[in-house]
Amino acid sequence: MTESEADLLVLLRELDDPERLEWPRRYDRRATAALFGGLVTRLEGDFAAPCTHEQDTQDSSEYGRVVVPAEATVCGTRIVVCVSKFGSLALVCADNPGAFLGTEEAQAEGELDCADLAKVNRALVDLGYVVVAEELLEGNYDGPSQLLWRVERPTWWARFFGYF
């Protein structure tokens, strides 16, 4: 689902539960795993390549990551999709989270093809994920959860994809 930055910030604040940092109150591990498996299958089909993946990450609000290999992309840079345990939030980045200041910078530097990005975003939206831009997630966290003692600089990334 494509949403405005303001709508996404509202969603992030709604999902934020200070009593549950690692996963939400009604977290369904099986449903999350099934959806994630569908994402892996979809990306492998769309890119005609096996994708490595990690899932059910412990001590983190991130559920898992799928990596589209560099050889399967137009620009020769791998694409990493991070999935949160909260609200089916997903992040798409070239190479690794933090390698660029977001997908726009990666595209400007010739490291991420717009058709590849569209393919990943389409898969995520079709499966019901909410894609959140890395630039938004790197913004200062201003929610109710106590992150100050857990991370050096509290960001929305730390809240919904970080380790605790």
Side-chain angles (χ1 to χ4, degrees), residues 132-147:
V132 184
E134 190 169 11
E135 300 89 336
L136 179 63
L137 290 170
E138 281 302 320
N140 290 331
Y141 173 78
D142 62 358
S145 297
Q146 297 298 312
L147 300 182

Side-chain angles (χ1 to χ4, degrees), residues 1 29 55 62 84 91 93 104 120 128 130 132 134 139 151:
M1 172 184 296
R29 179 175 271 137
Q55 67 188 71
E62 180 179 289
S84 176
L91 162 71
C93 43
E104 287 182 17
V120 173
V130 176
V132 184
E134 190 169 11
V151 294

Side-chain angles (χ1 to χ4, degrees), residues 14-35:
E14 286 174 359
L15 293 172
D16 194 2
D17 181 348
E19 294 178 22
R20 303 210 178 261
L21 295 180
E22 192 174 340
W23 57 73
R25 188 172 307 279
R26 291 174 197 82
Y27 180 61
D28 184 338
R29 179 175 271 137
R30 285 187 180 156
T32 302
L35 185 60

Side-chain angles (χ1 to χ4, degrees), residues 78-94:
R78 71 188 193 150
I79 299 172
V80 178
V81 180
C82 304
V83 173
S84 176
K85 293 174 183 169
F86 286 82
S88 299
L89 300 175
L91 162 71
V92 180
C93 43

